[in-house]
């Protein structure tokens, strides 16, 4: 274990490079705020980025479905051209965006077919009805489209200025033994629970692609930490007319969520996933050098990360790439699998059969 000198001094500018972007990121992605919801005629809890997305969606919502159709066509046709070597992109990023495995390639083709059928209302009812394809297109994807833009552009505030390094170092002794996860996964947890599960998954996916999480860790974070966001809980409560019981409901959900997050990673199938890093990368070193405290070493890593930032141009470039990754990669998955799942739910008894064992329990 290497020894690092404990005594260090940082300038006000160095502190500012770390703290200002990180605090802005926390406010945008995690700070709960109230927004009036006319559907329930009362305030609801949301986060600033979701509030902005909702505002934009309310004002230009009519043009968003058409734009989504265009995005899904680009995703499918681009994958088709690259997959069969009709077009050979020189950029590794563009090639990675469109060169997909057979499963995801087929998903993108299906998504394009489903979205065209739903938009033009042509095809079987179980695909294009207001409870299946048209619900995914006009209700879900329009929200995700806008959120992905702002989330993608602003996600580097959490990723690139030392917040993950600082929090990860402070919380490693808590997260590793309890949840079997790196300390930095606490930020994913807070983003998902206090903010939005979709944003938590985006953050986790980016961390996995950058080599900070193994396959097992990314799967655990995405499944155990991304199902209990404040916004999702409000949607569930609104569906059953219990929005007035939000506080006791959410406290209960958090308690159950923590218990599940402790147990689920230790049993199959998550326990069977391998600690394999993307591109065979090395295991993340979370050790603390001799002579350091968790706080001093976390601060050192955070400021070093912030100092290494390459400026506003790189910040915007990374943000645009994040947004494109979500648009081209995630929207087709939601359209494809979402439409199929809703068709099964609404037009077959499969989910009723699966739910039978839970009736006596509930």
């Amino acid at each position: 274990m290497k020894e690092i000198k404990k005594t260090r001094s940082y300038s006000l500018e160095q502190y500012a490079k770390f703290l200002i972007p990180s605090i802005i990121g926390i406010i945008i992605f995690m700070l709960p705020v109230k927004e009036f919801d006319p559907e329930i005629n009362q305030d609801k809890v949301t986060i600033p980025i979701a509030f902005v997305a909702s505002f934009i969606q309310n004002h230009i919502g009519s043009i968003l479905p058409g734009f989504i159709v265009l995005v899904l066509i680009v995703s499918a046709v681009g994958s088709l051209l690259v997959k069969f070597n009709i077009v050979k992109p020189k950029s590794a990023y563009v090639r990675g965006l469109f060169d997909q495995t057979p499963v995801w390639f087929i998903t993108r083709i299906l998504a394009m077919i489903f979205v065209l059928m739903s938009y033009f209302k042509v095809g079987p009812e179980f695909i294009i009805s207001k409870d299946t394809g048209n619900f995914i297109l006009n209700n879900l994807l329009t929200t995700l489209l806008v959120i992905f833009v702002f989330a993608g552009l602003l996600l580097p505030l959490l990723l690139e200025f030392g917040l993950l390094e600082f929090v990860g170092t402070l919380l490693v002794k808590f997260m590793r033994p309890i949840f079997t996860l790196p300390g930095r996964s606490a930020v994913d947890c807070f983003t998902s629970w206090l903010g939005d599960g979709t944003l938590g998954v985006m953050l986790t996916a980016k961390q996995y692609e950058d080599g900070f999480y193994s396959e097992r860790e990314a799967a655990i974070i995405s499944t155990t930490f991304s199902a209990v966001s404040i916004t999702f809980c409000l949607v569930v409560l609104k569906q059953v007319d219990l929005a007035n019981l939000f506080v006791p409901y959410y406290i209960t959900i958090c308690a159950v969520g923590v218990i599940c997050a402790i147990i689920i990673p230790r049993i199959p199938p998550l326990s069977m996933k391998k600690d394999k890093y993307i591109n065979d990368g090395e295991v993340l070193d979370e050790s603390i050098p001799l002579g350091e405290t968790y706080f001093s070493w976390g601060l050192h890593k955070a400021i070093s990360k912030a100092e290494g930032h390459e400026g506003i141009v790189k910040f915007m470039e990374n943000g645009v790439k994040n947004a494109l990754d979500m648009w081209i990669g995630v929207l087709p998955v939601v359209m494809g699998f979402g439409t199929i799942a809703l068709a099964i739910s609404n037009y077959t008894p499969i989910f009723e059969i699966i739910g039978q064992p839970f009736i006596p329990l509930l």
Side-chain angles (χ1 to χ4, degrees):
M1 185 178 289
K2 58 183 178 178
E3 183 171 356
I4 305 294
K5 291 183 179 179
K6 185 177 179 180
T7 303
R8 297 191 191 88
S9 60
Y10 303 107
S11 67
L12 185 62
E13 181 183 359
Q14 287 176 310
Y15 278 113
K17 282 183 179 179
F18 158 50
L19 289 173
I20 293 176
S22 297
I23 291 172
I24 293 173
I26 290 171
I27 291 172
I28 290 172
F29 287 99
M30 303 182 200
L31 183 68
V33 296
K34 288 185 177 181
E35 176 190 15
F36 181 75
D37 188 342
E39 290 186 19
I40 59 176
N41 198 33
Q42 64 183 46
D43 290 338
K44 68 176 183 180
V45 180
T46 185
I47 52 174
I49 193 169
F51 175 81
V52 173
S54 177
F55 177 83
I56 292 176
Q57 187 180 358
N58 290 337
H59 285 77
I60 62 170
S62 59
I63 67 171
L64 294 180
F67 188 75
I68 290 168
V69 172
L70 179 62
V71 170
L72 266 59
I73 290 174
V74 170
S75 177
V77 173
S79 299
L80 190 68
L81 294 175
V82 173
K83 191 72 175 174
F84 292 98
N85 290 320
I86 300 172
V87 174
K88 299 179 180 180
K90 294 181 179 180
S91 166
Y93 170 74
V94 175
R95 189 164 57 251
L97 203 60
F98 292 104
D99 188 10
Q100 300 295 304
T101 60
V103 172
W104 301 122
F105 172 72
I106 293 171
T107 300
R108 292 186 179 189
I109 300 299
L110 284 176
M112 179 181 69
I113 295 171
F114 290 162
V115 80
L116 286 170
M117 291 168 65
S118 300
Y119 185 75
F120 292 107
K121 295 182 173 57
V122 176
E125 183 69 13
F126 68 89
I127 294 294
I128 68 172
S129 78
K130 61 181 180 62
D131 295 319
T132 54
N134 263 286
F135 173 80
I136 297 292
L137 172 60
N138 295 297
N139 293 75
L140 186 54
L141 291 190
T142 52
T143 301
L144 291 179
L145 180 81
V146 181
I147 285 182
F148 284 166
V149 174
F150 291 99
L153 291 174
L154 299 175
L155 201 59
L157 291 170
L158 298 181
L159 291 170
E160 298 178 7
F161 294 93
L163 179 65
L164 291 168
E165 283 71 18
F166 182 67
V167 173
T169 304
L170 289 182
L171 295 182
V172 64
K173 290 189 73 173
F174 174 79
M175 298 298 293
R176 183 63 72 179
I178 294 178
F179 300 111
T180 72
L181 295 171
R184 65 197 294 126
S185 64
V187 176
D188 303 61
C189 175
F190 295 144
T191 302
S192 292
W193 285 23
L194 299 178
D196 186 276
T198 305
L199 303 178
V201 172
M202 285 181 65
L203 182 59
T204 301
K206 187 64 179 172
Q207 291 291 281
Y208 169 70
E209 292 167 2
D210 291 343
F212 291 106
Y213 295 146
S214 67
E215 289 180 3
R216 181 188 64 83
E217 291 164 349
I220 290 171
I221 298 166
S222 298
T223 52
T224 59
F225 287 159
S226 300
V228 290
S229 68
I230 289 178
T231 49
F232 178 73
C233 287
L234 278 168
V235 170
V236 173
L237 280 180
K238 191 163 64 174
Q239 292 297 316
V240 294
D241 294 325
L242 292 175
N244 58 309
L245 296 176
F246 174 76
V247 174
Y249 171 83
Y250 192 67
I251 291 174
T252 305
I253 286 292
C254 286
V256 173
V258 169
I259 294 170
C260 289
I262 294 172
I263 297 172
I264 297 300
R266 292 174 167 86
I267 62 176
L270 289 180
S271 64
M272 298 172 65
K273 294 193 73 68
K274 297 179 180 179
D275 272 313
K276 181 181 179 182
Y277 289 78
I278 195 167
N279 298 326
D280 296 320
E282 297 181 359
V283 176
L284 183 66
D285 182 12
E286 295 184 298
S287 61
I288 305 297
L290 294 174
E292 293 284 350
T293 65
Y294 283 95
F295 181 86
S296 67
W297 184 238
L299 185 62
H300 168 69
K301 291 178 69 177
I303 289 181
S304 298
K305 178 73 173 181
E307 283 285 289
H309 191 260
E310 299 177 355
I312 187 67
V313 174
K314 191 66 176 179
F315 177 90
M316 294 302 297
E317 180 185 334
N318 290 339
V320 170
K321 285 182 177 179
N322 288 338
L324 283 176
D325 285 340
M326 295 300 107
W327 276 10
I328 301 296
V330 178
L331 292 183
V333 175
V334 175
M335 186 71 209
F337 284 99
T339 302
I340 292 171
L342 287 179
I344 293 173
S345 175
N346 286 284
Y347 291 90
T348 74
I350 290 178
F351 284 102
E352 291 182 16
I353 296 170
I354 294 174
Q356 289 298 314
F358 295 96
I359 292 176
L361 190 64
L362 298 174

